[in-house]
């Protein structure tokens, strides 16, 4: 599946990484559609992928067992789960979409 050029350009600008490098990384991925209220990943779980939000919004939450606090809201073009490139440590936050989201993911 081809990575949309608009996604590549947006990520390159947002991360200050070259278009060629972003293209190389993202060509290994695929599109995943998340339903409203679906979790993309949970705090303390292993990092399995990195991605870019193509459409929709994703809330990052910190805190477990019913006491979660929204620490950020990510939208179109935002990288997500990029910590997978940096370490093997588990996620430090959870990610959930309230209204649905489409994410280009690379495992």
């Amino acid at each position: 599946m081809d990575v949309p050029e608009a996604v590549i350009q947006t990520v390159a600008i947002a991360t200050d990484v070259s278009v060629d490098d972003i293209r190389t990384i993202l060509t290994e991925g695929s599109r995943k559609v998340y339903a409203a209220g679906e979790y993309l990943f949970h705090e303390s779980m292993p990092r399995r992928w990195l991605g870019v939000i193509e459409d929709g919004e994703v809330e990052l939450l910190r805190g477990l067992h019913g006491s979660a606090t929204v620490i950020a809201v990510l939208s179109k073009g935002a990288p997500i789960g990029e910590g997978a490139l940096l370490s093997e440590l588990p996620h430090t936050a959870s990610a959930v979409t309230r209204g649905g989201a489409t994410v280009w993911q690379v495992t």
Side-chain angles (χ1 to χ4, degrees):
M1 191 176 292
D2 292 327
V3 183
E5 190 62 28
V7 170
I8 293 170
Q9 297 292 330
T10 301
V11 174
I13 291 167
T15 60
D16 198 29
V17 174
S18 77
V19 169
D20 289 339
D21 287 346
I22 296 297
R23 185 176 287 113
T24 299
I25 293 167
L26 294 183
T27 55
E28 298 299 318
S30 61
R31 183 172 290 113
K32 169 92 168 136
V33 177
Y34 291 90
E38 188 173 358
Y39 277 80
L40 287 69
F41 51 80
H42 294 276
E43 184 174 345
S44 300
M45 298 302 293
R47 297 175 191 266
R48 304 269 188 229
W49 54 267
L50 66 98
V52 179
I53 299 172
E54 285 191 87
D55 190 42
E57 290 186 335
V58 175
E59 292 182 344
L60 295 182
L61 310 170
R62 185 162 292 146
L64 300 172
H65 310 295
S67 61
T69 301
V70 176
I71 58 172
V73 178
L74 306 177
S75 59
K76 186 176 182 175
I80 185 168
E82 66 278 9
L85 291 174
L86 305 174
S87 75
E88 293 184 19
L89 294 173
H91 287 285
T92 58
S94 297
V96 63
T97 177
R98 295 294 177 211
T102 303
V103 180
W104 188 269
Q105 289 182 196
V106 180
T107 57

